[in-house]
């Protein structure tokens, strides 16, 4: 996601974590503010192009070598690069985040990666190989040229919340408040139980793969419903957006809700 998506998932998670989880991460991340998770949500993107952070570059996605729209699937052995992918990165940093043998700064760094990678795992095109996750597919968005990856990282979300007029943190906070209402007593209330059915903290890799497969399936149904060729050069700000908007909304909601449960498990394991 772009920063709006990441900040929103983190704000949303902070609405659903247990009090003891909030206390653990506020101390670890040295913040006593409401944005203690939101503030660190985009950090992983800020270091991936630095010299020391280069090793994390492939940690943000998994390149499913499937065949949308005919066939969508993710296979860990086939698709996780030797340099790492979002599935094993999430599993590795999850273990580090509660490892008592590590110094606090290492656990803090691991927590920042976890918050970011739970988010990225829910972006459909971070679970797809075609044209480097859509980065090589040129499309139009409200008349301007963009690549398809950027449209799914950023453009759809910004248009969905009514445009990026204002500062990103207040906008993300407002969006997360709306999503929290939909989860607590709204359109997501009935399905939120299903959102945690694949969460198995004893099997982080399996959990991440289940969430990856769910996001990857959306590539066939909503990202490339007519395949990669048909979308090249198309205007996506109209009918396409009408169908994509609700998908983005649900994926951001799932990411935030699952992030809260995942952070609860980390804090519980550390106690
Ligand atoms: N990305 C992806 N899958 C790939 C390559 C990149 O999902 N195979 C993502 C990571 C970033 C964005 O696309 O969110 C741009 O990546 P880069 O700057 O590496 O081109
Ligand atoms: N490749 C691709 N899309 C990606 C990643 C790689 O089309 N998201 C291509 C580039 C190389 C080949 O696959 O031709 C192997 O790439 P790698 O060594 O990055 O796995
Ligand atoms: N659901 C979901 N995510 C899942 C499983 C189910 O969002 N991993 C949703 C789809 C339906 C509702 O929950 O809106 C009921 O699903 P089911 O038919 O699987 O019971
Ligand atoms: Zn991206
Ligand atoms: Zn990322």
């Amino acid at each position: 996601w772009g920063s709006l998506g990441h900040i929103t998932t983190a704000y949303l998670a902070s609405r659903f974590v247990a009090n003891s989880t909030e206390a653990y991460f506020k101390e670890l991340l040295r913040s006593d503010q409401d944005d203690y998770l939101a503030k660190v949500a985009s950090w992983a993107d800020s270091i991936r192009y630095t010299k020391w952070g280069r090793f994390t570059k492939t940690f943000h996605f998994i390149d499913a070598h499937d065949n949308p729209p005919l066939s969508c699937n993710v296979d860990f052995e086939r698709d996780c690069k030797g340099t790492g992918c979002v599935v094993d990165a999430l599993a590795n940093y999850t273990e580090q985040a509660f490892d008592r043998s590590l110094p606090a700064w290492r656990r803090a760094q691991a927590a920042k990666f976890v918050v970011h990678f739970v988010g990225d795992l829910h972006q459909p095109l971070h679970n797809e190989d075609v044209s480097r996750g859509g980065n090589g597919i040129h499309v139009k968005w409200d008349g301007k040229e963009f690549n398809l990856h950027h449209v799914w990282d950023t453009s759809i979300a910004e248009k969905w919340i009514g445009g990026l007029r204002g500062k990103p943190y207040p906008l993300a906070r407002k969006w997360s408040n709306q999503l929290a209402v939909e989860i607590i007593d709204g359109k997501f209330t009935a399905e939120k139980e299903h959102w945690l059915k694949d969460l198995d903290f004893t099997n982080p890799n399996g959990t991440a793969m289940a969430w990856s497969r769910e996001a990857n399936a959306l590539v066939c149904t909503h990202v490339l419903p007519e395949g990669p060729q048909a979308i090249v050069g198309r205007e996506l700000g109209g009918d396409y957006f009408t169908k994509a908007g609700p998908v983005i909304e649900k994926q951001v909601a799932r990411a935030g809700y699952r992030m809260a449960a995942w952070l609860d498990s980390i804090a519980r394991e550390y106690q």
Side-chain angles (χ1 to χ4, degrees), residues 1 6 44-45 48 60 116-117 120 126:
W1 306 114
H6 280 295
D45 276 335
R48 51 194 288 253
H60 297 250
H116 187 87
F117 294 146
D120 274 346
H126 279 240

Side-chain angles (χ1 to χ4, degrees), residues 1-2 6 45 48-49 57-58 60-64 81 116 120 123-135 147 149-150 153:
W1 306 114
H6 280 295
D45 276 335
R48 51 194 288 253
Y49 300 106
K57 227 188 135 187
T58 62
H60 297 250
F61 53 83
I62 180 165
D63 278 339
K81 284 188 193 297
H116 187 87
D120 274 346
Q123 208 280 48
L125 281 172
H126 279 240
N127 300 273
E128 178 53 53
D129 175 65
V130 167
S131 292
R132 292 181 298 108
N135 276 288
N147 74 62
H149 190 93
H150 183 270
D153 262 354

Side-chain angles (χ1 to χ4, degrees), residues 5 10 59 62 75 82 85 105 126 133 137 167 169 185 204 212 219 230-231 242 246 262-263:
F59 293 3
I62 180 165
D75 181 310
C85 67
W105 72 268
H126 279 240
I137 298 177
K167 296 191 160 93
Y169 278 86
D185 188 19
S212 174
V219 174
I231 205 168
T242 305
W262 200 250
L263 296 177

Side-chain angles (χ1 to χ4, degrees), residues 84-151:
C85 67
V86 67
V87 172
D88 59 2
L90 178 58
N92 285 340
Y93 286 116
T94 293
E95 289 204 11
Q96 290 182 27
F98 64 78
D99 187 340
R100 285 182 166 277
S101 73
L102 293 176
W105 72 268
R106 284 281 305 280
R107 281 183 284 117
Q109 202 174 82
K112 293 195 269 185
F113 279 123
V114 166
V115 168
H116 187 87
F117 294 146
V118 171
D120 274 346
L121 190 54
H122 285 77
Q123 208 280 48
L125 281 172
H126 279 240
N127 300 273
E128 178 53 53
D129 175 65
V130 167
S131 292
R132 292 181 298 108
N135 276 288
I137 298 177
H138 297 272
V139 296
K140 289 205 180 67
W141 184 261
D142 292 342
K144 296 202 188 89
E145 294 257 3
F146 286 98
N147 74 62
L148 185 64
H149 190 93
H150 183 270
V151 165

